[in-house]
Amino acid sequence: MLYAIFGQDVENSLLLRQSARPAHLERLERLQNEGRLLLAGPFPSVDANDPGAAGFTGSLIVAEFDTLQAAKSWAAADPYVAAGVYAQVEVRPFKQVFPR
């Protein structure tokens, strides 16, 4: 089943994000290589693809896991959690309707 993982950043998270980003992306690449990643990316703080010093407010990951608990465990082990980037992480089941 698919699960949506929402990570909400702490204030002024940009430096924390930059330091933990390589490890965070490595985990996402593993999911992608396993064919389990539907999409992933950050929410810019401003209306721009590159928000510069404004940074980001959080992230969204949609990926396949066997159970809700497996998705929660994976999310809890994210390098952004360990680095203090995320103030909060929410994991919810997700049903893809489009594209088919």
Side-chain angles (χ1 to χ4, degrees):
M1 175 151 192
L2 292 174
Y3 295 90
I5 301 168
F6 299 91
Q8 182 177 341
D9 283 21
V10 298
E11 291 286 323
N12 302 311
S13 63
L14 188 57
L15 292 178
L16 295 172
R17 271 183 169 270
Q18 290 170 337
S19 67
R21 189 169 191 261
H24 172 76
L25 293 181
E26 184 178 308
R27 292 181 83 231
L28 291 171
E29 286 175 5
R30 273 187 257 139
L31 279 182
Q32 182 175 319
N33 291 340
E34 294 168 2
R36 297 170 45 204
L37 182 63
L38 185 65
L39 65 90
F43 297 111
S45 293
V46 295
D47 189 13
N49 281 326
D50 181 357
F56 300 92
T57 61
S59 302
L60 170 64
I61 298 165
V62 179
E64 184 178 344
F65 294 91
D66 290 334
T67 64
L68 176 60
Q69 187 55 50
K72 286 181 176 182
S73 294
W74 186 90
D78 192 290
Y80 279 179
V81 172
V85 173
Y86 293 150
Q88 175 182 335
V89 177
E90 182 179 356
V91 181
R92 291 192 250 166
F94 179 80
K95 181 180 177 184
Q96 181 179 357
V97 176
F98 289 100
R100 293 180 190 191

